[in-house]
Structures are given as structure tokens and as C-alpha cells.
Amino acid sequence: MAKVTVKLNSEGVRNLLKSQEMMDVCKEHARAIKSRCPQGYETDSYSGKNRVNAMVYASTYQAKVDNARNNTLLKAVRT
């Protein structure tokens, strides 16, 4: 077998991680996780220094209690 060397284009990877397409993928994953949670959970997304980010969080008191008692977000991510 021949030895293969892969060299990443750093600027290209950086542009990919901050692209609108990657933001759409992250938002879709966040929406899927939120759909597996009861009411009171919200999603948010933003473009950070190095990459885009999306998150699901408990926005109401009842959702925060539910997540603390049942690990709702962790279970929604695993499913």
C-alpha cells in the first residue's frame, strides 16, 4: 500500500465551519433535539470566533426543573 498524506486547507476548513450551510445543519440538529423535549425548551444559534454554534436550553422554570430531575436534554441528544 502506498502511504497517503493529507494536507488540509486551513482557510477552507475555517470557511466551512463558519458557513451558512453549516449553520443550517447545526440548526436542524438543534430543532431535532428540541422536538424530543417537552414544552419550555428553546433553540439558539450564533456564529462564534471559530465556528457556528447551536444550542437547546431550558427557558422556563418548569423546564429547568424537568431537566435537573430527568436529564431531559442529555436523553434527547442520545436518542
Side-chain angles (χ1 to χ4, degrees):
M1 273 278 4
K3 185 174 181 180
V4 177
T5 302
V6 176
K7 183 176 180 188
L8 293 177
N9 178 340
S10 298
E11 186 176 339
V13 172
R14 188 176 309 110
N15 290 338
L16 175 67
L17 290 174
K18 293 188 73 145
S19 70
Q20 183 60 44
E21 291 82 5
M22 189 61 70
M23 176 71 82
D24 295 340
V25 170
C26 289
K27 284 181 180 180
E28 184 57 39
H29 282 288
R31 278 192 290 267
I33 292 167
K34 181 184 175 219
S35 71
R36 293 189 288 266
C37 296
Q39 288 186 341
Y41 292 85
E42 298 295 326
T43 62
D44 190 20
S45 58
Y46 61 95
S47 181
K49 181 180 176 185
N50 297 317
R51 63 182 58 95
V52 295
N53 299 280
M55 64 180 170
V56 180
Y57 61 95
S59 61
T60 63
Y61 177 76
Q62 291 84 5
K64 290 175 184 179
V65 170
D66 173 60
N67 189 50
R69 289 183 180 161
N70 303 314
N71 286 323
T72 305
L73 287 172
L74 180 62
K75 289 176 183 176
V77 169
R78 288 183 176 175
T79 306

